[in-house]
């Protein structure tokens, strides 16, 4: 049989593929009936497994231009072949997903069917759950279009993440994945980190709000050590504590490749905060670091200040709300006196008061080669003495924006070039 293209051409379709599509044509109607027996994720019949394999093979063959059967007269140079098989590939992909949903006794996500071959598959807040994730994983294995996968807030838990991890480990297209707010825990973290290590194409991963604790930090450290292609990692809103900081710090020191790290809203304090800052001191790749809303305190601020003395790569640093007093601010300033690469420093919502703000600003004034463009002291009350010093500093560094509780200025942060080139056009900046 041949498929007629939009311009009147035709494309040869193997009979075995048409058979796989035809056998699943009544799937949507069957899903509306109540006679489906619900099985646990790991309880699949031999018949269901065979059906998934058959549809997967069909979808795989039609991800690109198919081969003609022996004896056919298909013109391999015709553009109509590509157009026709692209449409059939879409049909087979949807068929595979619907069949997989039937196997796992879940309702198909309509947004998956609507998005077709878009490079960004946005399924956030769809309530997939572990079984829905298993159904999705089967179709991802044969989907050549998706580059960015957004599964934020779907209650995947460890079981759902394990199913997805298998698909992600084999994908050569997906380079950006958001698994935030999915209750991954240590089991999910282990599965996803192992999958990422096996997939060098992954560049951006978001794991925020997943209840990751000390045990998960071991798997995250392995990821930092093994994956040199990963550029951006979001670990914010988790429960990584002192012990996690002591585990992640040495891994950060040895990491080669990571450019942006967000570990805000965790519990890095005491020795863990110091160990993490020492990792920053040795790192030679990281350009953007957010450690806000932890508990670094003055000892942690001192370690960060020491790191800034030797680190000549970091460009953006956020240490807001870290219990840093005027003492810690002075220690932080020691690094600012010699640092030549930092462009943005946010120290807002710290109890450093006017005295600490003055110490930081004087350090910048003493550095003739400072690259700073933004100093953010938001939510900290300063007095006239600070305002006078700020005017003097801006006379030397006219491009410097200084934010305080009384003076709010606009500062536009541009996306780093590496992220512009690696993400699809539809991905959010």
């Amino acid at each position: 049989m041949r498929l007629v293209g939009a311009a009147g051409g035709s494309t040869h379709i193997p009979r075995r593929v048409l058979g796989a599509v035809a056998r699943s044509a009544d799937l949507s109607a069957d899903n509306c009936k109540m006679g489906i027996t619900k099985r646990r994720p790991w309880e699949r019949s031999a018949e269901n497994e065979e059906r998934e394999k058959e549809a997967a093979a069909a979808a795989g063959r039609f991800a690109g231009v198919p081969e003609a059967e022996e004896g056919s007269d298909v013109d391999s140079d015709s553009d109509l072949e590509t157009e026709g098989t692209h449409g059939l590939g879409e049909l087979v992909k949807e068929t595979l997903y619907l069949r997989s949903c039937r196997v796992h006794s879940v309702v198909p996500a309509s947004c998956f069917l609507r998005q077709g071959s878009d490079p960004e598959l946005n399924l956030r807040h769809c309530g997939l759950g572990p079984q829905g994730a298993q159904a999705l994983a089967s179709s991802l294995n044969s989907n050549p279009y998706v580059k960015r996968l957004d599964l934020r807030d779907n209650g995947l838990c460890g079981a759902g993440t394990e199913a997805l991890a298998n698909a992600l480990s084999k994908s050569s297209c997906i380079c950006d994945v958001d698994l935030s707010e999915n209750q991954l825990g240590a089991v999910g973290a282990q599965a996803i980190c192992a999958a990422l290590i096996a997939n060098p194409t992954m560049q951006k991963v978001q794991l925020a709000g997943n209840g990751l604790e000390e045990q998960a930090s071991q798997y995250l450290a392995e990821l930092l050590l093994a994956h040199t292609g990963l550029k951006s990692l979001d670990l914010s809103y988790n429960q990584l504590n002192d012990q996690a900081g002591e585990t992640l710090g040495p891994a950060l020191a040895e990491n080669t490749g990571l450019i942006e790290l967000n570990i805000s809203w965790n519990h890095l304090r005491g020795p863990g905060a110091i160990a993490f800052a020492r990792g920053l001191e040795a790192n030679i790749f990281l350009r953007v670091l957010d450690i806000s809303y932890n508990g670094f305190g003055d000892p942690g601020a001192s370690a960060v200040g020491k790191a800034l003395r030797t680190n000549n790569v970091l460009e953006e640093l956020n240490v807001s709300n870290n219990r840093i007093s005027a003492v810690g601010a002075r220690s932080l300033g020691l690094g600012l006196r010699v640092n030549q690469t930092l462009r943005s420093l946010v120290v807002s919502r710290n109890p450093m008061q006017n005295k600490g703000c003055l110490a930081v600003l004087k350090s910048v004034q003493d550095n003739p080669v400072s690259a700073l463009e933004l100093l953010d002291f938001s939510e900290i009350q300063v007095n006239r003495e600070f305002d006078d010093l700020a005017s003097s500093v801006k006379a030397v560094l006219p491009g410097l924006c200084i934010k305080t509780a009384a003076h709010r200025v606009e500062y536009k942060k541009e996306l780093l070039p590496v992220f512009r080139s690696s993400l699809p056009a539809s991905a959010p900046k």
Side-chain angles (χ1 to χ4, degrees):
M1 182 175 178
R2 304 174 69 83
L3 181 70
V4 178
S10 61
T11 301
H12 182 272
I13 305 172
R15 295 187 186 88
R16 58 182 178 276
V17 176
L18 287 173
V21 175
R23 282 192 295 272
S24 60
D26 62 344
L27 180 59
S28 296
D30 289 346
N31 278 341
C32 295
K33 298 178 181 179
M34 301 302 293
I36 300 175
T37 302
K38 188 172 182 178
R39 296 185 177 89
R40 294 176 181 173
W42 55 86
E43 295 177 342
R44 298 185 181 181
S45 66
E47 180 185 0
N48 284 334
E49 287 185 354
E50 185 62 29
R51 286 178 178 177
E52 282 198 27
K53 289 178 182 177
E54 186 179 32
R61 285 193 296 272
F62 279 85
V65 179
E67 291 183 6
E69 285 187 331
E70 251 183 87
S72 72
D73 58 350
V74 177
D75 182 3
S76 61
D77 295 327
S78 173
D79 289 338
L80 293 176
E81 285 191 355
T82 303
E83 294 175 8
T85 56
H86 180 82
L88 184 61
E90 284 288 308
L91 175 60
V92 176
K93 183 196 70 162
E94 293 180 6
T95 299
L96 174 61
Y97 175 62
L98 292 172
R99 186 187 298 281
S100 187
C101 287
R102 183 176 184 177
V103 169
H104 295 284
S105 302
V106 295
V107 177
S110 59
C111 49
F112 173 85
L113 302 175
R114 286 197 304 267
Q115 293 181 56
S117 59
D118 290 346
E120 178 179 1
L121 181 56
N122 188 341
L123 298 177
R124 59 169 56 192
H125 315 308
C126 285
L128 295 179
Q131 287 182 289
Q134 291 171 4
L136 176 64
S138 299
S139 60
L140 284 179
N141 283 328
S142 303
N143 192 324
Y145 310 115
V146 178
K147 297 185 184 302
R148 184 175 193 274
L149 178 62
D150 189 344
L151 294 175
R152 179 183 288 262
D153 185 27
N154 270 286
L156 304 182
C157 302
T161 309
E162 286 182 308
L164 281 169
N166 182 52
L168 291 176
S169 67
K170 300 174 182 177
S171 173
S172 59
C173 300
I174 300 176
C175 60
D176 180 352
V177 62
D178 188 349
L179 296 175
S180 301
E181 302 172 25
N182 274 297
Q183 307 165 37
L184 302 189
V187 174
Q190 182 179 19
I192 199 65
C193 287
L196 295 175
I197 290 173
N199 187 348
T201 63
M202 196 66 65
Q203 295 186 21
K204 184 175 182 180
V205 178
Q206 293 171 262
L207 301 175
N210 274 303
L212 305 184
E213 300 178 336
E214 177 185 350
Q215 184 179 353
S217 68
Q218 300 173 10
Y219 311 124
L220 294 170
E222 293 173 3
L223 175 64
L224 289 175
L225 290 171
H227 201 309
T228 58
L230 187 63
K231 305 299 182 186
S232 177
L233 179 62
D234 185 356
L235 300 175
S236 61
Y237 293 92
N238 281 295
Q239 299 169 28
L240 300 172
N241 57 14
D242 293 354
Q243 289 73 28
E246 293 179 346
T247 301
L248 293 173
L252 180 63
E254 298 295 327
N255 173 265
T256 55
L258 194 66
I259 292 177
E260 180 179 40
L261 175 60
N262 185 349
I263 198 166
S264 62
W265 291 91
N266 276 279
H267 307 306
L268 299 181
R269 301 167 184 165
I274 295 174
F276 188 85
R278 287 174 179 166
L280 173 63
E281 181 178 357
N283 184 279
I284 58 173
F285 285 88
L286 199 64
R287 293 166 62 182
V288 180
L289 176 62
D290 189 345
I291 52 176
S292 61
Y293 290 85
N294 276 280
F296 270 58
D298 293 339
S302 178
V304 172
K306 184 178 179 182
L308 291 178
R309 277 184 257 178
T310 56
N311 185 296
N312 59 359
V313 179
L314 192 68
E315 296 181 11
E316 300 178 19
L317 175 62
N318 189 339
V319 294
S320 62
N321 213 326
N322 261 293
R323 306 178 186 177
I324 301 173
S325 72
V327 174
R330 282 194 291 270
S331 300
L332 194 61
L334 294 177
L336 296 176
R337 286 184 178 177
V338 297
N339 185 278
Q340 301 180 29
T341 60
L342 196 65
R343 296 190 299 112
S344 172
L345 175 64
V346 182
V347 295
S348 59
R349 298 183 180 88
N350 278 297
M352 60 179 61
Q353 302 178 332
N354 183 75
K355 186 186 297 184
C357 295
L358 279 171
V360 171
L361 197 53
K362 286 179 179 177
S363 297
V364 175
Q365 184 184 40
D366 293 340
N367 184 355
V369 291
S370 174
L372 273 172
E373 299 173 3
L374 172 67
L375 265 176
D376 191 343
F377 298 101
S378 299
E379 308 300 327
I380 304 176
Q381 295 297 324
V382 295
N383 59 22
R384 181 63 179 272
E385 182 183 3
F386 177 90
D387 290 338
D388 292 341
L389 179 60
S391 298
S392 300
V393 173
K394 291 191 71 171
V396 180
L397 299 172
L400 176 62
C401 294
I402 302 177
K403 288 187 179 182
T404 66
H407 301 283
R408 300 184 180 277
V409 293
E410 293 298 324
Y411 175 76
K412 184 178 179 181
K413 174 185 174 182
E414 295 184 357
L415 192 68
L416 292 176
V418 65
F419 300 132
R420 292 196 195 100
S421 60
S422 64
L423 299 181
S426 59
K429 299 295 187 290

